[in-house]
C-alpha cells in the first residue's frame, strides 16, 4: 500500500492542476445539486420492532384519519392572582383562543378545556390540547407561528400562557460552535506549523471535503428521507477528521523535508507513510459509523452512513489534494524545525545530504522527554493512568438512561414553563400520559375486554387516572389514557409501563386480546431499551472488526488488544464524567446544566461510535511511527521514544482541535446537544492524553519485543499492507536501503 500511495502522492504533486480541478469540480457539482434539489422536510421517525411503534401502526389502521403519531401541543393558561379560569372574562379569552387555533390547515382537532374538564381542581390552571396531522418534525413553520401568535393574543388579555408538547419541536441549532471550533483549530495549526500557509492547508481541504459531503447529503435529502440532523453529524465528524488527516500528512511532509529530500519526493513519502495510517484510521471511523445500523433505528443508520461517506471523502482529499496544494505552496511550507516569519526568523535551508553535517544537535522536544520518562517509569505511569480513569468511571455504575422531555428544557423556554404549570395544576405524571391500545379483534367479547383492561390498570401502583375506553367504529379496538403519578422520565413511570404490559400478557392469555402501550413516554422508554440492548452487539462488531484491521496494520496481537482495552477504559471514564455532571449535578452550574436527570439513551452508543473512530486515529498514527522505527532496527524502548518524537506534537494538536470542535457544543441551550458536546470532548481528552500518551507507551515499554509478536502461521496468512513504508526504504537510494529490517 505504501508504494501505491507514494506514487499517488507524487502524481498529485506533479499534476497538481488536474488534482485540484477535480475536487473543485466535485464541490461545484455537489453545490449545484444541493441548490437545485427539492426541499426535504424533516425526516420521518420510526422505531421498528418496539411495542410503542406497533401500537402507532395499529392505530393508523383501526382509527384512520386520527393521526396517532401526529404532533400535539398543550396551550396552558393560568389565571391572574386572585382570579380563576372559570371567570367569564378568562373563559371567553380561552374560547377565542381555541377557535383561533382550530383554523389551522394542519390541525385535526382542538379540545375546549371546559368541555374536556381540563381545568385544575383549584380553578387556576387550564389547558387546550391541539392535535396535528403530521409529526412535530414535519410541522410547517406557518403552523408553529400561528400557535405562538394565538398564545400571545391570550397573554395580552392578562393570562399567563405557555405552550408544551412536541409541536414546537425543532432541530437543535448549534449557533457559532462550528466557527469557534474552526477558529481554535486555526490557532493550534499556526502554533504547530509556525506558518499561515501550512496551517491553512488542513483547514482548506477539510472545508472542501465537508462542503462536498454536506452538499451531497442536502441534494439527496428528499429522495432518501434524510433529516437536517444527518448533515449536522456529517459536518461535525467530517470537519474533525478532515483537519486531522491533513495535519498528519503535512507534518510528515515537513519531516521528510527536514531529512533533506526534494519536495516531490517528500510529498510522495508523506502520502506513502502517513497516508497509509490515514487510510486505516479512516477505515476504523467508517466501520464505527456504519456499524450504527445494527441498532435498527432508520434515522440513526442514515446518520451513520452519511457521516461515514463524509469521512471517506476526507481520506481521499488528504491523499490527493494535500500533495497538490503542497506543490502550489512550494517553499512557503518549511521543513520541520524551521520557523517561518510568523513565529520567528527563518533559518537558511541546508542542501540535501548536508543537513546532518551542519546542524547542531537539537534539543529533545517535549514528546521525546515525556516518552523517555514513561519508558523509565512504565509501571508507575500505567498504574496512575488506569487508577485515574477507573476513578472517573465510577459514576458510570449509576448510569440511568432516558430521552429528554420538556422537563429537561431550560427554565427560560415556554415548553419548560408549560411543563411546570401542568405539574402544578394536575400532577407530575400529567406531562407523560400513557396510551393503552386494546386490540380485541380476536376476542369473543371486545367490550368486556376493554372494561377488564381498564380495571386491571387501575389496580397498579402509581396510577392516578384511567379514562374510559374509547372504541373505534368497528368496536374491535379501543384506546385508554393512563395518567401516572410520577414524572415521565422517572424510573417509577418506566416500571408502570412494564407493569401494564405484564398485565396485558395475562389478558391475552385469557381473552386473545393484545394490549399495547404507546405514547411519547412509552416510545422514549422503548427507544432507551432498544439502544441499551444494542450496545453490546455494537461493541462486539465494531471493536472486533477494528481489532482484525489493526492486526493487519501492526502485525501484532497485543498492540490491537491494548488499543481496544484502552478505548473501553476511556469511554467508561467519559460516561462517568457525563453521569457526574448531568445526572448527579457536579459542576452543573459551570456547564450551564439547569436540570439534572437521566443520561440521554443515545449517548453511550453514540459515544462509542464516534470516539472509537477518533481514538483509533491517534493509535494508528502514533504507533505506526513506533513500529516503523522498530522494524528498521531500533530497540523496543527506543522505538517508543522515536514514535513520540515524530508523532506526539501532531497527535496533541489533533486532539486539541477535536476537543475544541466538540466543546463548542457545550454552550448550546439544548440539553441533548450540550451533553453530546461535553461527552465527546472529555472522551477525546481521556483517550488522547491519558490512554494514548501515557498508558500506550507504558504498556509497550513493559512488553518490549513481545508487543510485536505474531504467530508465524498468521504472519504468513496476513496481507502485507506495508503501512510503515518498508518498500519505500528498501528501494530508496538515499542510504536507507542498507538498513536491516527486523522481522516481526
Amino acid at each position: 500500500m505504501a508504494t501505491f500511495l507514494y506514487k499517488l502522492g507524487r502524481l498529485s504533486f506533479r499534476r497538481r492542476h488536474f488534482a485540484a480541478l477535480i475536487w473543485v469540480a466535485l464541490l461545484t457539482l455537489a453545490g449545484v445539486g444541493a441548490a437545485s434539489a427539492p426541499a426535504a422536510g424533516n425526516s420521518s421517525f420510526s422505531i421498528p420492532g418496539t411495542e410503542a411503534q406497533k401500537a402507532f401502526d395499529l392505530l393508523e389502521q383501526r382509527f384512520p384519519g386520527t393521526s396517532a403519531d401526529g404532533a400535539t401541543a398543550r396551550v396552558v393558561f393560568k389565571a391572574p392572582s386572585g382570579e380563576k379560569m372559570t371567570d367569564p372574562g378568562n373563559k371567553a379569552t380561552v374560547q377565542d383562543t381555541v377557535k383561533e387555533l382550530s383554523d389551522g390547515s394542519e390541525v385535526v382537532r382542538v379540545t375546549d378545556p371546559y368541555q374536556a374538564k381540563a381545568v385544575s381542581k383549584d380553578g387556576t390552571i387550564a389547558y387546550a390540547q391541539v392535535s396535528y396531522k403530521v409529526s412535530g418534525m414535519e410541522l410547517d413553520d406557518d403552523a408553529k407561528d400561528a400557535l405562538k401568535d394565538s398564545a400571545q393574543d391570550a397573554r395580552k388579555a392578562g393570562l399567563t400562557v405557555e405552550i408544551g408538547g412536541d409541536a414546537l419541536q425543532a432541530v437543535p441549532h448549534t449557533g457559532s460552535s462550528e466557527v469557534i471550533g474552526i477558529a481554535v483549530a486555526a490557532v493550534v495549526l499556526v502554533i504547530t506549523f509556525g506558518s499561515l500557509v501550512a496551517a491553512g492547508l488542513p483547514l482548506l481541504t477539510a472545508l472542501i471535503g465537508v462542503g462536498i459531503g454536506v452538499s451531497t447529503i442536502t441534494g439527496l435529502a428528499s429522495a432518501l428521507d434524510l433529516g437536517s440532523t444527518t448533515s449536522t453529524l456529517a459536518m461535525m465528524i467530517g470537519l474533525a477528521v478532515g483537519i486531522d488527516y491533513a495535519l498528519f500528512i503535512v507534518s510528515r511532509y515537513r519531516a521528510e523535508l527536514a531529512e533533506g529530500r526534494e519536495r516531490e519526493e517528500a510529498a510522495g513519502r508523506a502520502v506513502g507513510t502517513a497516508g497509509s495510517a490515514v487510510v486505516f484510521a479512516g477505515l476504523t471511523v467508517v466501520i464505527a459509523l456504519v456499524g450504527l445500523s445494527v441498532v435498527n433505528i432508520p434515522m440513526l443508520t442514515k446518520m451513520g452512513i452519511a457521516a461515514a461517506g463524509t469521512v471517506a471523502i476526507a481520506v481521499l482529499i488528504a491523499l490527493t489534494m494535500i500533495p497538490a496544494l503542497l506543490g502550489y505552496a512550494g517553499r512557503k511550507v518549511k521543513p520541520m524545525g524551521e520557523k517561518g516569519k510568523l513565529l520567528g526568523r527563518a533559518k537558511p535551508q541546508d542542501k540535501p545530504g548536508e543537513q546532518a553535517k551542519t546542524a547542531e544537535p537539537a534539543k529533545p522536544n517535549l514528546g521525546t522527554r515525556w516518552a523517555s520518562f514513561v519508558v523509565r517509569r512504565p509501571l508507575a505511569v500505567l498504574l496512575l493512568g488506569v487508577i485515574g480513569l477507573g476513578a472517573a468511571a465510577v459514576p458510570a455504575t449509576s448510569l440511568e438512561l432516558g430521552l429528554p422531555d420538556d422537563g429537561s428544557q431550560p427554565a427560560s423556554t415556554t415548553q419548560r414553563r408549560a411543563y411546570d404549570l401542568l405539574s402544578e395544576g394536575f400532577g407530575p405524571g400529567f406531562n407523560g400520559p400513557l396510551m393503552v391500545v386494546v386490540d380485541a379483534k380476536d376476542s369473543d367479547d371486545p367490550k368486556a375486554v376493554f372494561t377488564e383492561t381498564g380495571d386491571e390498570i387501575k389496580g397498579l401502583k402509581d396510577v392516578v387516572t384511567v379514562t374510559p375506553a374509547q372504541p373505534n367504529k368497528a368496536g374491535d379496538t379501543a384506546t385508554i389514557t393512563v395518567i401516572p403519578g410520577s414524572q415521565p422520565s422517572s424510573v417509577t413511570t418506566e416500571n408502570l409501563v412494564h407493569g401494564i404490559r405484564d398485565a396485558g400478557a395475562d389478558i391475552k392469555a385469557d381473552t386473545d386480546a393484545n394490549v399495547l402501550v404507546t405514547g411519547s413516554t412509552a416510545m422514549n422508554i422503548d427507544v432507551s431499551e432498544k439502544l441499551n440492548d444494542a450496545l453490546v452487539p455494537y461493541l462486539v462488531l465494531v471493536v472486533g472488526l477494528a481489532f482484525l484491521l489493526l492486526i493487519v496494520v501492526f502485525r501484532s496481537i497485543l498492540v490491537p488488544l491494548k488499543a481496544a482495552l484502552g478505548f473501553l477504559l476511556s469511554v467508561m471514564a467519559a460516561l462517568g464524567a457525563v453521569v457526574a455532571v448531568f445526572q448527579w449535578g457536579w459542576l452543573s452550574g459551570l456547564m450551564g446544566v439547569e436540570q439534572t436527570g437521566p443520561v440521554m439513551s443515545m449517548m453511550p452508543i453514540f459515544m462509542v461510535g464516534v470516539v472509537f473512530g477518533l481514538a483509533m486515529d491517534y493509535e494508528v498514527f502514533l504507533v505506526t511511527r513506533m513500529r516503523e522505527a522498530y522494524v528498521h532496527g531500533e530497540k523496543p524502548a527506543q522505538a517508543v521514544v522515536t514514535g513520540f518524537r515524530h508523532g506526539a506534537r501532531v497527535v496533541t494538536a489533533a486532539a486539541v482541535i477535536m476537543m475544541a470542535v466538540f466543546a463548542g457544543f457545550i454552550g448550546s441551550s439544548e440539553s441533548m446537544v450540550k451533553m453530546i458536546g461535553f461527552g465527546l470532548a472529555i472522551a477525546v481528552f481521556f483517550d488522547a492524553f491519558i490512554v494514548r500518551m501515557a498508558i500506550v507507551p507504558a504498556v509497550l515499554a513493559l512488553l518490549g519485543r513481545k508487543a510485536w509478536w505474531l504467530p508465524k502461521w498468521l504472519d504468513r496468512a496476513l496481507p502485507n499492507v506495508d503501512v510503515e513504508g518498508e518498500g519505500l526504504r528498501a528501494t530508496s537510494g538515499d542510504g536507507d536501503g542498507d538498513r536491516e529490517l527486523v522481522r516481526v
Side-chain angles (χ1 to χ4, degrees), residues 47-127:
I47 311 295
T50 61
E51 180 173 315
Q53 186 64 49
K54 292 177 183 177
F56 274 133
D57 296 339
L58 182 64
L59 287 171
E60 289 290 341
Q61 297 174 11
R62 306 289 175 83
F63 293 81
T66 58
S67 301
D69 59 347
T72 59
R74 282 178 169 175
V75 183
V76 187
F77 306 89
K78 184 175 183 179
S81 179
E83 299 182 16
K84 300 207 180 271
M85 291 304 305
T86 51
D87 293 345
N90 294 334
K91 185 175 182 178
T93 299
V94 171
Q95 290 176 330
D96 289 342
T97 303
V98 169
K99 183 178 179 181
E100 184 179 349
L101 288 169
S102 302
D103 295 336
S105 60
E106 292 184 316
V107 175
V108 176
R109 61 183 174 276
V110 182
T111 60
D112 187 316
Y114 304 101
Q115 295 178 5
K117 298 180 180 180
V119 181
S120 63
K121 291 181 179 180
D122 62 3
T124 60
I125 297 174
Y127 73 92

Side-chain angles (χ1 to χ4, degrees), residues 364-648:
N365 61 22
L366 182 60
T368 302
R369 297 196 298 273
W370 169 250
S372 299
F373 169 78
V374 174
V375 167
R376 289 195 304 269
R377 301 285 188 273
L379 187 58
V381 173
L382 175 62
L383 290 176
L384 187 61
V386 171
I387 292 173
L389 290 178
V394 169
T397 58
S398 302
L399 177 66
E400 295 179 7
L401 297 178
L403 288 177
D405 55 21
D406 286 348
S408 61
Q409 295 274 5
S412 58
T413 63
T414 185
Q415 294 96 325
R416 172 62 184 279
R417 291 195 292 263
Y419 181 97
D420 293 339
L421 283 176
L422 288 172
S423 296
E424 176 187 340
F426 302 93
F430 197 79
N431 283 290
L434 305 175
M435 180 181 290
V436 179
V437 182
V438 185
D439 178 9
K441 189 174 184 179
D442 298 330
S443 178
D444 296 332
D445 189 355
K447 290 184 178 179
V449 172
F450 301 155
T451 302
E452 179 184 352
T453 302
D455 292 340
E456 286 286 339
I457 295 173
K458 289 177 182 177
L460 298 176
K461 293 181 179 179
D462 199 48
V463 173
V464 174
T465 304
V466 178
T467 64
Q470 301 293 322
N472 62 348
K473 291 182 179 179
D476 59 3
T477 307
T479 59
I480 300 173
T481 301
V482 180
I483 305 298
S486 304
Q487 62 183 15
S489 59
S490 67
V491 176
T492 307
T493 301
E494 182 178 349
N495 292 336
L496 174 59
V497 170
H498 291 304
I500 296 174
R501 288 173 175 170
D502 291 341
D506 296 335
I507 293 173
K508 180 175 176 59
D510 296 337
T511 65
D512 289 329
N514 288 316
V515 178
L516 306 174
V517 185
T518 187
S520 59
T521 300
M523 180 66 84
N524 288 351
I525 292 171
D526 286 352
V527 171
S528 298
E529 292 180 352
K530 189 177 183 70
L531 289 167
N532 194 40
D533 293 342
L535 183 57
V536 173
Y538 178 68
L539 267 175
V540 171
L541 174 68
V542 172
V543 177
L545 288 177
F547 180 76
L548 296 176
L549 185 66
L550 293 178
I551 289 178
V552 175
V553 175
F554 297 128
R555 308 192 75 80
S556 164
I557 298 294
L558 296 179
V559 170
L561 180 61
K562 171 265 307 170
L565 293 177
F567 156 74
L568 293 175
L569 189 59
S570 62
V571 166
M572 289 302 298
L575 280 176
V578 169
V579 170
V581 174
F582 291 89
Q583 188 175 309
W584 292 0
W586 294 5
L587 301 178
S588 57
L590 181 63
M591 296 295 169
V593 179
E594 297 186 19
Q595 181 71 30
T596 59
V599 172
M600 184 182 63
S601 54
M602 196 180 295
M603 193 68 196
I605 202 164
F606 186 79
M607 184 180 292
V608 167
V610 176
V611 177
F612 181 79
L614 298 177
M616 293 305 104
D617 282 0
Y618 308 140
E619 176 76 16
V620 169
F621 189 76
L622 193 61
V623 180
T624 48
R625 293 305 296 259
M626 299 178 190
R627 175 176 164 78
E628 182 179 344
Y630 177 70
V631 299
H632 289 95
E634 292 189 8
K635 294 181 179 180
Q638 183 57 39
V640 172
V641 177
T642 300
F644 266 75
R645 182 172 69 248
H646 292 296

Side-chain angles (χ1 to χ4, degrees), residues 98-399:
V98 169
K99 183 178 179 181
E100 184 179 349
L101 288 169
S102 302
D103 295 336
S105 60
E106 292 184 316
V107 175
V108 176
R109 61 183 174 276
V110 182
T111 60
D112 187 316
Y114 304 101
Q115 295 178 5
K117 298 180 180 180
V119 181
S120 63
K121 291 181 179 180
D122 62 3
T124 60
I125 297 174
Y127 73 92
Q129 181 154 314
V130 188
S131 300
Y132 293 89
K133 298 177 182 178
V134 296
S135 67
M137 298 295 288
E138 299 172 296
L139 199 61
D140 288 341
D141 290 338
D142 291 341
K144 295 180 180 180
D145 291 339
L147 181 61
K148 296 175 184 176
D149 291 342
S150 62
Q152 187 60 34
D153 292 341
R155 290 189 186 103
K156 292 178 181 178
L159 298 178
T160 298
V161 186
E162 305 296 347
I163 304 172
D166 60 354
L168 295 182
Q169 182 179 4
V171 177
H173 295 286
T174 57
S176 60
S177 59
E178 292 93 346
V179 177
I180 295 173
I182 293 173
V184 174
V187 173
V188 173
L189 290 170
V190 169
I191 294 173
T192 302
F193 292 138
S195 165
L196 286 175
V197 174
L201 297 184
L203 288 175
L204 177 61
T205 54
L207 291 174
I208 291 175
V210 167
I212 294 174
V214 173
S215 296
T216 302
I217 292 170
T218 303
L220 298 175
S222 178
L224 301 181
D225 191 26
L226 304 177
S228 54
T229 51
T230 304
S231 59
T232 300
L233 177 64
M235 180 185 299
M236 180 171 64
I237 304 301
L239 185 64
V241 300
I243 295 174
D244 272 11
Y245 296 161
L247 171 64
F248 294 160
I249 292 178
V250 173
S251 296
R252 186 59 183 257
Y253 171 76
R254 296 177 69 234
E256 296 292 338
L257 288 180
E259 293 183 8
R261 294 187 174 88
E262 296 294 336
R263 294 186 177 274
E264 182 179 329
E265 176 71 11
R269 285 177 172 270
V271 175
T273 52
S276 297
V278 164
V279 169
F280 283 96
L283 280 176
T284 60
V285 181
V286 169
I287 288 172
L289 291 172
V290 173
L292 290 171
S293 58
V294 303
V295 183
N296 195 27
I297 295 179
M299 183 185 70
L300 198 59
T301 299
K302 293 173 185 177
M303 290 171 63
I305 293 175
T310 307
V311 171
I313 293 172
V315 171
L316 293 174
I317 284 186
L319 298 178
T320 55
M321 194 170 184
I322 280 292
L325 294 179
L326 289 172
Y328 285 119
R331 296 185 178 277
K332 293 180 180 179
V333 177
K334 305 293 182 181
M336 187 171 291
E338 285 194 28
K339 293 182 179 180
K341 295 180 180 180
L342 184 65
L343 296 181
R345 180 178 299 175
K347 62 182 180 183
Q349 174 151 355
D350 301 311
K351 295 180 180 180
E354 296 182 1
Q355 186 176 10
K357 299 178 183 179
T358 59
E360 296 180 0
K363 180 182 178 181
N365 61 22
L366 182 60
T368 302
R369 297 196 298 273
W370 169 250
S372 299
F373 169 78
V374 174
V375 167
R376 289 195 304 269
R377 301 285 188 273
L379 187 58
V381 173
L382 175 62
L383 290 176
L384 187 61
V386 171
I387 292 173
L389 290 178
V394 169
T397 58
S398 302
L399 177 66

